[in-house]
Amino acid sequence: MSDVPILLVDDDDALRNALVQSFQLADLAVEAFADGAGALSRLSAGFDGAVVSDIRMPRMDGLELFRQVAAIDPEIPVILMTGHADVPMAVSALKSGVFDFIAKPFATDHLIASARRALEMRRLVLDNRHLRAAADESANGELLIGETPAMIRLRDNMRQVADAEVDILIEGETGTGKELVATLLHRWSRRRGRPFIAINCAALPDKIAEVDLFGQESGRTLQSGRITRANKGSLFLDEIESSPAWLQGALLRVLEEREVMPVGAEQPLAVDLRVVAATKPGIDASVAEGRFRADLLYRLDMVRLRIPPLRERRADIPLLFGYLLHQAADQMKREVPRIGPDIRAYLADHDWPGNVRELANFAKRAVLGMHADVASAESQMALAQQVEQFEAAVIRRVLERVQGDARSAMAELELPRKTFYDKLNRHGIEIDDYRK
């Protein structure tokens, strides 16, 4: 039975009891009151249900109840039940904001259908409020949005190490926000206000890369490189796992000696750096396969921060989407769209392999009214791929519900231990990320 309540108000005991039974048979939770005062005591601006009330009642009639409900929150749906003589009054109330009116005598199915529509509308209203509020969630421009245990733990770990003079390795899939984490580490450190220099190790121009990074000395002229320009500040090495062999060796010297040898120079230059590197998952395998230097990884890996992908923190998606939606609307100078059931379903069901970057693109499509194209493309995926995504989503939702308790998850999913852990490995699910 749904736990979203219908507040039913009617002074006729027999009709009230009959309607209670009808709502319950329709799998809708209901609380019944003989007068409007009792129902009002249950209401607040965050109420997630609907009000169904008779119009003709002593002390407080249905129209007065509607006015008082609207004073609490004008978007709480109110359905009025009315006799034939009161129809003109009910039509006038509709123009004032009443959600619906049901003329007596009525078929119970008619009332149930109207109540379901009211609950759906209320859910959309609250979802949109939640999404709008997300734009204000990040204090002081700190946009690492999320309230799941994995994100709270990540922010706590960042705070602990931000001011420590240690090098840090950030691990995360494409689009999870590795540069954002590096930027916040710099902003939260005592080096804030000093340079933050970002280098993409996978996109360095071959012929000038060494001069670009380490600088060049020609006669008495010294051309500073990007690493030197990070002196007293932070150096961010993005996609470190893709750096060529020659760069790995050169970076190892920078990390160990804290000095840079410009091209053509005879003496190195000392640099005071805090190094933050970022990698996609799999750098340990690259070391095992000889594609990445073990000594460089050991030097970088003093502290490793893992950013969970969106599929492991699905409860954060509406909050994050709300921020991105407002950001996209501001950039495009468009109105923020209402979030309908199609968008909510896509947010909940999609696996988001592109993570925050993909979510940001979806927010832009939603602002432009083109989100249906994305959902349509999703429906054309191969059946096996859709089944895999569905299975992974079910497992993640169960793990989130049981807070990472493996035994409870196996029991709920009705899976033996080996099968359970095989599925975790196949879908790349880290059970520790769901444990508080």
Side-chain angles (χ1 to χ4, degrees):
M1 180 178 291
S2 168
D3 57 359
V4 177
I6 298 289
L7 301 189
L8 173 64
V9 185
D10 199 312
D11 62 321
D12 184 327
D13 294 344
L15 178 59
R16 187 174 65 249
N17 293 334
L19 290 177
V20 166
Q21 292 181 2
S22 297
F23 280 121
Q24 291 174 342
L25 288 171
D27 201 32
L28 292 174
V30 59
E31 293 183 37
F33 302 90
D35 57 56
L40 288 170
S41 68
R42 280 280 287 112
L43 291 177
S44 67
F47 176 67
D48 55 0
V51 176
V52 176
S53 174
D54 192 15
I55 282 188
R56 295 289 182 180
M57 294 186 296
R59 294 184 295 278
M60 181 189 301
D61 64 19
L63 291 176
E64 178 59 26
L65 174 60
F66 162 67
R67 284 189 283 269
Q68 295 203 32
V69 170
I72 295 171
D73 183 341
E75 293 184 293
I76 294 176
V78 176
I79 300 170
L80 294 179
M81 299 178 293
T82 175
H84 179 74
D86 296 324
V87 169
M89 183 192 310
V91 172
S92 175
L94 277 176
K95 296 178 181 178
S96 301
V98 166
F99 179 79
D100 197 4
F101 77 89
I102 310 295
K104 299 177 182 177
F106 54 80
T108 305
D109 290 348
H110 187 185
L111 177 61
I112 297 297
S114 179
R116 290 192 189 281
R117 291 195 301 273
L119 291 176
E120 177 63 19
M121 190 204 76
R122 183 58 177 169
R123 183 166 61 172
L124 290 176
V125 165
L126 294 179
D127 280 355
N128 278 280
R129 287 182 186 176
H130 187 61
L131 294 175
R132 286 195 296 270
D136 302 322
E137 284 290 319
S138 54
N140 302 318
E142 297 168 8
L143 307 180
L144 200 61
I145 294 172
E147 296 304 324
T148 52
M151 290 304 290
I152 293 172
R153 185 164 57 247
L154 173 61
R155 286 197 299 268
D156 288 346
N157 290 339
M158 288 170 61
R159 289 286 187 185
Q160 289 176 2
V161 302
D163 236 3
E165 289 298 312
V166 294
D167 297 331
I168 294 174
L169 182 66
I170 303 168
E171 183 182 70
E173 295 179 8
T174 298
T176 49
K178 296 185 287 292
E179 185 165 358
L180 172 59
V181 170
T183 302
L184 290 177
L185 287 169
H186 175 72
R187 187 184 302 169
W188 295 346
S189 76
R190 57 176 62 97
R191 292 177 180 268
R192 57 187 171 274
R194 298 289 188 171
F196 176 84
I197 303 296
I199 297 171
N200 188 331
C201 298
L204 292 170
D206 291 339
K207 294 183 179 179
I208 62 171
E210 193 173 4
V211 172
D212 182 45
L213 294 180
F214 301 101
Q216 184 174 30
E217 186 174 310
S218 178
R220 295 184 178 180
T221 303
L222 176 64
Q223 175 186 339
S224 296
R226 282 200 275 171
I227 295 177
T228 307
R229 291 199 290 274
N231 190 42
K232 303 295 185 182
S234 299
L235 178 66
F236 175 51
L237 301 172
D238 197 9
E239 297 192 60
I240 188 72
E241 78 282 0
S242 300
S243 54
W246 72 265
L247 180 57
Q248 294 179 33
L251 289 175
L252 182 61
R253 175 172 182 169
V254 174
L255 290 164
E256 289 184 335
E257 306 297 335
R258 285 315 198 253
E259 62 183 28
V260 172
M261 179 66 77
V263 175
E266 296 182 359
Q267 296 293 327
L269 299 175
V271 286
D272 175 10
L273 298 171
R274 202 286 184 76
V275 178
V276 179
T279 178
K280 291 191 281 290
I283 193 169
D284 298 285
S286 296
V287 170
E289 295 166 5
R291 291 183 286 109
F292 195 85
R293 294 182 60 140
D295 49 1
L296 178 57
L297 178 60
Y298 297 150
R299 189 63 185 79
L300 286 168
D301 201 11
M302 298 178 69
V303 172
R304 186 179 299 202
L305 298 173
R306 179 181 179 272
I307 309 176
L310 279 185
R311 64 179 179 273
E312 293 181 9
R313 55 184 188 105
R314 303 192 75 90
D316 286 333
I317 291 175
L319 186 67
L320 184 55
F321 181 69
Y323 172 79
L324 296 171
L325 195 70
H326 280 74
Q327 187 180 59
D330 288 344
Q331 290 173 351
M332 299 178 188
K333 300 191 179 345
R334 298 282 189 95
E335 291 293 321
V336 177
R338 289 186 76 79
I339 306 305
D342 55 340
I343 294 181
R344 282 194 294 106
Y346 189 74
L347 291 176
D349 297 337
H350 186 57
D351 219 28
W352 302 106
N355 294 292
V356 178
R357 188 173 299 142
E358 182 184 1
L359 187 64
N361 288 336
F362 183 64
K364 292 175 183 176
R365 284 179 173 271
V367 170
L368 294 172
M370 299 172 60
H371 56 277
D373 296 344
V374 180
S376 175
E378 173 101 332
S379 67
Q380 296 172 19
M381 288 191 306
L383 176 61
Q385 187 178 356
Q386 293 186 51
V387 171
E388 284 287 297
Q389 286 196 1
F390 177 76
E391 180 180 80
V394 169
I395 293 172
R396 292 186 182 102
R397 282 195 286 268
V398 169
L399 286 172
E400 189 170 318
R401 186 160 53 247
V402 301
Q403 299 180 358
D405 183 78
R407 184 172 298 177
S408 298
M410 284 185 282
E412 188 167 334
L413 294 165
E414 299 183 0
L415 292 175
R417 180 181 180 84
K418 183 179 185 306
T419 304
F420 174 71
Y421 281 100
D422 284 347
K423 289 182 182 294
L424 293 186
N425 290 332
R426 187 169 77 249
H427 297 302
I429 298 172
E430 297 287 342
I431 194 170
D432 286 343
D433 292 331
Y434 296 88
R435 291 171 175 155
K436 291 187 177 180

